[in-house]
Amino acid sequence: MRRTLRTAAGLLAAAVGIAVAVPSQANAAPGTDRIGTSPYVAMGDSYSSAAGVNPLVPTAPPTCSRSTLNYAHDIAASTTPSSFTDVTCSGAQTSDFFSSQAAGVPPQLAAVTRNTRFVTMTIGGNDENVFVDSFFGCIQVSITSGDIMGDPCRQKYGDTFVRETVTQTYRHLVAALTAVRTKAPAATVAILGYPQILPEWGQLACYPTMPISLGDVHWLHEQQEVLNSVVKKAALQTGARFINMGPSSRGHDACQPESRRWIEPANGPVNAFPIHPNATGEAAMAHQTLLQLGV
């Protein structure tokens, strides 16, 4: 029996207490909150490293594709911490907090100490290979099927990605965030949601640069909302701060003109990896982090 993702995601979200809906406004933290920003450790995956955005940090491992224009560097430039350590790395999963991701890349948790007072990250999207299998995988499915208007990817995968996110990624996020807070009990730990990658509905004009079948666009959009809801729930569970990128990133997806988009498309990306934030998107992530923390 075929079901829409909205129905499937709603049932799964209800089962684990996740609200799929995203608030309409991103609110700043109360002014009474005192946020220490030094020493500052930046952790996370390619959305944190700003993969492919030149110039890259020359001393960083090449596999990490760590940019000097990532949101952590923007935050550090604004808050001027006495100590700033950036261990963000493209392709990182929650498991890479605990073990080496690649030769010459220490576990990201090694950078966190009891003296750390501020930690930021995006993490979770690569767990279970959901990001690659869904967005990049659906491009291959669409091209192979030749079905531009339909939903061949949803027909192929059904609820697989949502179930993996809810049942597995959530547990991994809780473990990773708990480990960070254990190593740095006095730190403010902020985990960002992922900015909106696709518009809510498919647009034929977007297909040349984001060749995802139009019927699959809403399906993928809903999956991303589920992921961000899982990230938010894990943050609440562990005492971390969730930075909601949903409202501010609407209308800045990969289907927008170059002057407006925060996410670069699959075909013809400009100074960023395909389907990743550009420098403007990274700056927006920095701004939202500082705004919502009340820094």
Side-chain angles (χ1 to χ4, degrees):
M1 178 179 178
R2 295 177 61 182
R3 299 177 295 170
T4 64
L5 179 70
R6 183 179 296 276
T7 301
L11 291 172
L12 287 166
V16 294
I18 297 170
V20 175
V22 177
S24 59
Q25 296 293 328
N27 297 320
T32 54
D33 287 354
R34 296 182 61 84
I35 304 295
T37 57
S38 181
Y40 173 23
V41 176
M43 309 175 72
D45 55 25
S46 55
Y47 273 54
S48 292
S49 71
V53 177
N54 290 313
L56 300 179
V57 177
T59 56
T63 186
C64 288
S65 192
R66 187 181 302 153
S67 173
T68 61
L69 297 178
N70 66 24
Y71 70 78
H73 277 78
D74 291 341
I75 289 173
S78 177
T79 59
T80 61
S82 59
S83 172
F84 170 52
T85 304
D86 184 356
V87 295
T88 59
C89 194
S90 180
Q93 302 180 9
T94 52
S95 60
D96 297 314
F97 280 22
F98 305 96
S99 60
S100 176
Q101 181 176 342
V105 183
Q108 292 196 19
L109 270 172
V112 179
T113 72
R114 192 168 185 83
N115 294 325
T116 302
R117 292 296 181 269
F118 188 43
V119 179
T120 59
M121 69 184 79
T122 54
I123 199 71
N126 292 322
D127 282 40
E128 289 67 61
N129 293 318
V130 165
F131 177 73
V132 170
D133 290 347
S134 58
F135 285 93
F136 289 98
C138 285
I139 288 174
Q140 292 303 315
V141 170
S142 178
I143 293 172
T144 301
S145 70
D147 184 2
I148 295 176
M149 303 303 295
D151 59 351
C153 207
R154 187 191 70 82
Q155 292 185 48
K156 179 175 180 178
Y157 291 107
D159 299 337
T160 300
F161 301 137
V162 169
R163 291 186 183 278
E164 289 177 341
T165 300
V166 170
T167 61
Q168 298 180 56
T169 303
Y170 172 69
R171 291 187 294 105
H172 300 158
L173 283 166
V174 169
L177 289 169
T178 298
V180 173
R181 290 187 54 76
T182 298
K183 288 201 70 176
T188 296
V189 179
I191 183 167
L192 285 69
Y194 292 91
Q196 184 172 320
I197 295 172
L198 293 170
E200 186 172 0
W201 302 98
Q203 303 168 1
L204 189 59
C206 184
Y207 189 83
T209 55
M210 285 293 288
I212 294 172
S213 298
L214 271 60
D216 283 326
V217 170
H218 185 68
W219 179 71
L220 287 169
H221 174 81
E222 289 288 299
Q223 284 188 88
Q224 188 180 0
E225 289 205 341
V226 171
L227 172 60
N228 282 333
S229 295
V230 165
V231 172
K232 179 179 180 179
K233 183 170 186 273
L236 293 172
Q237 177 68 26
T238 58
R241 300 289 292 270
F242 174 70
I243 306 302
N244 184 5
M245 287 301 303
S248 64
S249 64
R250 288 195 189 106
H252 298 283
D253 54 77
C255 288
Q256 301 305 314
E258 182 181 343
S259 61
R260 183 169 176 77
R261 66 183 181 238
W262 293 355
I263 306 293
E264 290 301 311
N267 294 328
V270 179
N271 195 29
F273 281 0
I275 320 183
H276 280 76
N278 53 35
T280 303
E282 292 286 328
M285 294 167 78
H287 174 72
Q288 283 298 314
T289 299
L290 296 174
L291 174 67
Q292 294 182 43
L293 290 178
V295 177

